Amino acid sequence: MEREGNKQELKKGPWKPEEDLLLTRYIETHGEGKWATVSKRSGLMRGGKSCRLRWKNYLRPNLKRGGMSEEEEDLIIRMHKLLGNRWSLIAGRLPGRTDNEVKNYWNTHLTKRQPQQKPEGPKLKRRKLSHLTDAQPIYHQSPNKTDELDEGNDIQTTIKGAEEGSNAMTAVSHSWMDVIKSSNNEIQSQWLPMDVKFYEEPYLPFLDSRFCIESFGVGAENYWTGSLSYILDDLYPVLL
DNA sequence: AAGCGACACAACCGCTGCTTT
DNA sequence: GAAAGCAGCGGTTGTGTCGCT
């Protein structure tokens, strides 16, 4: 779906310095957003998408230019292992870096170094935000496991079940969903950027615990112990 | 100097999801 | 509820640069 006016009138290709200046001045005056109107009002004969991309990826203040540091590279690798090609999420953990930059860096520098492997399981789907207020839980990976939710149980019971049961990931994730829904979506993860809340990525708190474990040296054999301990000891008390 | 291929990254495209009417 | 408009995401392509022959 593309409705941005007459395409014949829209300019394409590399941006010129004067166009950058025009766009920067416009945004400094009017602020970000309403990209569809930027073209008309700023005098730029560019589509809204093009303006948005140029601003977000190149003109926006506080962008970090230049090569990735070893720390950034390491974080990208670990985050990609965890999240897959969720470039915007990965970039969100790298201050001053854009999703496009991270994606390009991955494709040009890091893919060669990574062992050739296809992502396991179904492809991660784009998140859906609005239905968290619904009764139905959200699934990114396992849409066929709805019936495994321990409905009506509190988090302790569910986690206990998870510890004992075979599908711990599902149970813990569902517990998180319940906690998140009952907390007015105001929880912040220590691993998320400040402007991203749990309701935007309901699995992230859970994934965060896994991220901690995988990234900071806890072995796979301690995965569940570590996850549950993280949730119970560090996060769950805060929510009560 | 010219031709060529590899590389890096900016920009575009198609699609999905959210909001508004 | 449906349709339209818009914003954002990830995949892909286009283009400039560099090094090698």
Side-chain angles (χ1 to χ4, degrees):
Chain A
M1 198 191 314
E2 191 62 44
R3 286 176 287 263
E4 287 178 357
N6 189 343
K7 286 192 175 186
Q8 290 180 332
E9 295 176 7
L10 296 179
K11 204 171 171 184
K12 291 183 182 180
W15 282 64
K16 294 182 177 131
E18 55 265 32
E19 291 179 299
D20 286 343
L21 192 64
L22 214 53
L23 181 58
T24 304
R25 280 182 181 167
Y26 182 88
I27 290 173
E28 280 171 358
T29 309
H30 298 91
E32 289 185 51
K34 306 274 184 187
W35 298 109
T37 64
V38 169
S39 172
K40 299 169 191 171
R41 297 191 178 177
S42 66
L44 285 163
M45 299 308 288
R46 297 271 185 177
K49 275 185 179 183
S50 185
C51 294
R52 178 190 155 270
L53 214 61
R54 185 65 180 172
W55 174 254
K56 294 277 185 189
N57 291 340
Y58 201 82
L59 300 174
R60 186 161 49 102
N62 304 322
L63 282 178
K64 212 186 270 182
R65 311 302 302 179
M68 297 279 181
S69 67
E70 279 186 31
E71 289 77 15
E72 288 175 314
E73 186 181 303
D74 191 46
L75 188 58
I76 291 170
I77 292 167
R78 288 182 297 181
M79 291 291 290
H80 186 271
K81 187 178 175 186
L82 178 62
L83 298 170
N85 297 356
R86 304 288 297 275
W87 305 117
S88 59
L89 275 174
I90 295 172
R93 312 287 177 106
L94 294 163
R97 302 294 187 183
T98 68
D99 52 355
N100 209 35
E101 197 174 8
V102 171
K103 178 174 61 180
N104 282 334
Y105 190 77
W106 176 266
N107 287 334
T108 54
H109 293 86
L110 300 179
T111 44
K112 300 160 198 166
R113 286 192 235 165
Q114 302 303 311
Q116 293 297 318
Q117 56 180 21
K118 294 196 171 180
E120 291 175 12
K123 200 175 176 180
L124 283 169
K125 290 187 176 175
R126 287 181 61 184
R127 62 177 180 267
K128 197 170 183 177
L129 309 182
S130 60
H131 64 322
L132 275 170
T133 52
D134 298 340
Q136 294 299 318
I138 173 175
Y139 298 92
H140 284 300
Q141 284 188 296
S142 307
N144 56 341
K145 292 181 177 172
T146 316
D147 55 348
E148 293 174 21
L149 174 60
D150 254 334
E151 282 185 37
N153 288 355
D154 62 25
I155 187 170
Q156 297 280 9
T157 307
T158 308
I159 288 175
K160 190 168 183 294
E163 285 176 311
E164 294 165 356
S166 59
N167 202 324
M169 179 169 181
T170 304
V172 174
S173 300
H174 289 155
S175 300
W176 266 112
M177 293 304 303
D178 292 337
V179 171
I180 291 161
K181 278 190 280 187
S182 63
S183 64
N184 299 322
N185 298 327
E186 289 176 350
I187 312 158
Q188 278 283 327
S189 161
Q190 59 180 310
W191 300 102
L192 285 171
M194 290 304 290
D195 58 341
V196 176
K197 297 201 172 161
F198 274 9
Y199 66 84
E200 291 182 298
E201 277 297 339
Y203 272 144
L204 269 180
F206 170 72
L207 293 173
D208 278 347
S209 61
R210 181 177 180 177
F211 177 69
C212 296
I213 292 157
E214 290 191 346
S215 302
F216 300 111
V218 180
E221 68 280 4
N222 297 323
Y223 172 73
W224 286 109
T225 307
S227 268
L228 295 168
S229 152
Y230 171 65
I231 292 166
L232 290 171
D233 298 337
D234 298 332
L235 289 173
Y236 183 54
V238 176
L239 305 177
L240 297 179

